[in-house]
Amino acid sequence: MSDSVTEILRQKIKALGGEPVQSEVGSVLSVADGIARISGLEDCQSMEMLDFGNGVVGLALNLEEDAVGAVILGDYKNIEEGHTVKRTKKVLAVNTSDDALGRVLDPLMNPIDGKGDLKKDEERLIEVIAPGVIARQPVSQPLHTGITAIDALTPIGRGQRQLIIGDRQTGKTTVCLDTIINQKGKNVKCIYVAIGQKYSKVMRNVNTLEKAGAMDYTTVVLAGASENPALLYLAPYSATALAEHFLWKGDDVLIIYDDLSKHAVAYRELSLLLRRPPGREAYPGDVFYLHSRLLERACRLSEENGGGSITALPIIETQAGDAAAYIPTNVISITDGQIFLESSLFNKGIRPAINVGLSVSRVGGAAQLKSTKKNAGSLKLQLAQYRELESFSQFGSDLDPTTKALLDRGERAVSLLKQKQFSPIPSAKQVVMIYALNNGFLDNISNDEVPVWLRELNEHLEGREELLSAIDKDWNDEVEKTVKETIEHFVTIRK
Amino acid sequence: MSLSRSIANSYITLCEEGNDPKVVANSVATFLKENNLISLQKNILDNVEMIEKEKENYNSLNIRSAFPLTAHTTKEIAEGLCGENKVKHRVEEDKKLIAGFVARYRGVEWDASMQGVVSRLRQLLKEQ
């Protein structure tokens, strides 16, 4: 046994060779706040990994005339002026593998959940150019969130970028977690990128996903609030590299960036430490490019390229509802639509607190089931009319019957869209609920009773797989007739 | 690059191009006076010294060896790595290398030490 170990070691040492190893080196000029300025390294590349020795690596971000500005991705307390730095000649890449599903990883794809190392599979660059136009196909397959307000009114397609924007504590993360939970059994792999979040909050979310059985197909990439700003900056890019590992195999991926506001702040901090010129609100001039090159990597590939997709749900946190601020407007202009969450709606008890009037999906009906498209049109109209007349509801009995009917229908529509968190509703059941509203089945129910009625209707639909499957496939006279009969039967037995 | 370092760099470059250092120094002083930058004088002088030291370091062969080297060995190393044996060199003893030497010249380092072999072996075994 010891002979074979010795033999193996002898072979390894022989393989190393006897020639001196040549490497390009530089010297540290100064180090402060995690940033080192290094002289020499004339041939250094942008985003190249630099070896500071003792397992400490850095990332070359600034290539200046007489020095290289590098951020140190580790403990920099033992690095001092004159310290030797070597080029690795490798641009930053991360290990991506199928084993990443079910795990919690750091931005460099190292496991931090204590469940062991990941198998080394494919190494992917964290910064790549997005697939070109020819490599893509239009977004036409729906990605169901399980939230009626979104699936009916601002539908999301596989390959789309849909922004979720709102003030703090308006339910942005909850919408995303609901979406992940709803992907169970739908063959969509999920990646949740927590940028600058509290560790306690992220672990609570991981527990929620575990309880719902969603961690089997989900990876969490965590760059916590106390991490180096460089790791916060890298987290979304390395997570996207992992998503692309699945994309190019033909899989569908959902990736959530929670949130890009903190990402922009981390990038600002990094840029100011690197002494890059500040622009508006002290953000560097390329803060738009920071997010545009990230979000452009979300796409749907053509069938020749495997037909896979990455759907991105970036989150932006606004201050006092100001969606016209710098970073929010940047990301709004990049994405294919946005979902606005408002504090006032949340406080009124309308949860999810989606402002249906301001939310939009630029993909729209192209990514919707035929049954949803047919029924949701009326719902949108009813909500729009209700919003117009809402201020008149205070006049109560002084209104004409038509206005009163519109207000009543609108109130029921708002109640229909309310949903408990972590309780996604399948799309076929959503269609039945909306059909019931549009065809007056809720008109004789008091508004307070509507949630109970809908819950009982959903229970009534359990076991009717044939009908639900037919709704998912098509919407024709026969399906409509069956739906109507089912609802009428429910109403009868409820009486 | 800071302004004082930039001015120091320009001063050195102009001197290296064959201009009279006294003339260049006078031009720099005039420039500082005209642009109200006299306060930078000390920083510029410090930077000139720093840049000259860096250049000297860059252009000289630094050898760290586990054991004392003879003059002949040092000459051979200089010839082998720098292509000439007249280059300015500095030899330092470092027992941590175990055996062999590490030489550095103009931004390139050659590691012919046992310590280097051991760390590469460790890395190789770790990856496997």
Side-chain angles (χ1 to χ4, degrees), chain A residues 108-174:
Chain A
L108 299 175
M109 295 292 130
N110 298 316
I112 52 173
D113 53 7
K115 290 180 185 171
D117 290 334
L118 287 184
K119 184 183 78 184
K120 281 205 184 301
D121 189 352
E122 191 189 358
E123 212 166 66
R124 294 193 74 92
L125 294 173
I126 68 158
E127 291 260 25
V128 290
I129 295 173
V133 172
I134 303 298
R136 300 179 187 225
Q137 63 173 311
V139 173
S140 60
Q141 280 180 320
L143 181 104
H144 292 122
T145 63
I147 299 170
T148 314
I150 297 174
D151 294 340
L153 304 170
T154 52
I156 301 173
R158 295 187 187 192
Q160 187 179 348
R161 295 85 48 89
Q162 184 79 344
L163 172 64
I164 300 180
I165 180 170
D167 279 1
R168 58 179 196 85
Q169 300 294 316
T170 47
K172 303 183 294 294
T173 304
T174 306

Side-chain angles (χ1 to χ4, degrees), chain A residues 92-289:
Chain A
L92 184 56
V94 289
N95 172 43
T96 60
S97 82
D98 293 357
D99 281 358
L101 293 173
R103 304 299 301 272
V104 181
L105 310 173
D106 73 4
L108 299 175
M109 295 292 130
N110 298 316
I112 52 173
D113 53 7
K115 290 180 185 171
D117 290 334
L118 287 184
K119 184 183 78 184
K120 281 205 184 301
D121 189 352
E122 191 189 358
E123 212 166 66
R124 294 193 74 92
L125 294 173
I126 68 158
E127 291 260 25
V128 290
I129 295 173
V133 172
I134 303 298
R136 300 179 187 225
Q137 63 173 311
V139 173
S140 60
Q141 280 180 320
L143 181 104
H144 292 122
T145 63
I147 299 170
T148 314
I150 297 174
D151 294 340
L153 304 170
T154 52
I156 301 173
R158 295 187 187 192
Q160 187 179 348
R161 295 85 48 89
Q162 184 79 344
L163 172 64
I164 300 180
I165 180 170
D167 279 1
R168 58 179 196 85
Q169 300 294 316
T170 47
K172 303 183 294 294
T173 304
T174 306
V175 161
C176 293
L177 293 179
D178 271 344
T179 309
I180 294 177
I181 292 169
N182 198 49
Q183 300 317 307
K184 197 170 185 177
K186 296 201 169 89
N187 207 23
V188 174
K189 292 172 174 61
C190 301
I191 301 172
Y192 176 74
V193 192
I195 307 163
Q197 305 286 330
K198 285 186 289 194
Y199 287 106
S200 57
K201 182 182 167 192
V202 176
M203 290 328 292
R204 219 171 32 243
N205 293 337
V206 168
N207 286 337
T208 305
L209 293 175
E210 267 170 355
K211 278 194 194 129
M215 276 305 287
D216 296 337
Y217 51 86
T218 304
T219 303
V220 175
V221 177
L222 169 57
S226 58
E227 290 281 10
N228 190 323
L231 290 174
L232 268 73
Y233 160 63
L234 293 173
Y237 295 102
S238 56
T240 311
L242 177 61
E244 284 166 342
H245 167 76
F246 297 118
L247 167 78
W248 288 98
K249 283 183 175 181
D251 292 334
D252 293 321
V253 186
L254 167 68
I255 185 164
I256 292 160
Y257 304 107
D258 190 2
D259 60 65
L260 291 186
S261 314
K262 291 191 181 66
H263 182 239
V265 167
Y267 185 60
R268 176 173 63 184
E269 185 178 340
L270 205 53
S271 298
L272 291 172
L273 286 170
L274 287 165
R275 306 197 64 84
R276 289 179 180 178
R280 179 177 164 184
E281 293 179 29
Y283 287 104
D286 63 344
V287 73
F288 183 94
Y289 182 51

Side-chain angles (χ1 to χ4, degrees), chain A residues 319-334:
Chain A
Q319 303 296 323
D322 183 17
Y326 187 28
I327 302 300
T329 47
N330 273 358
V331 184
I332 286 169
S333 65
I334 295 167

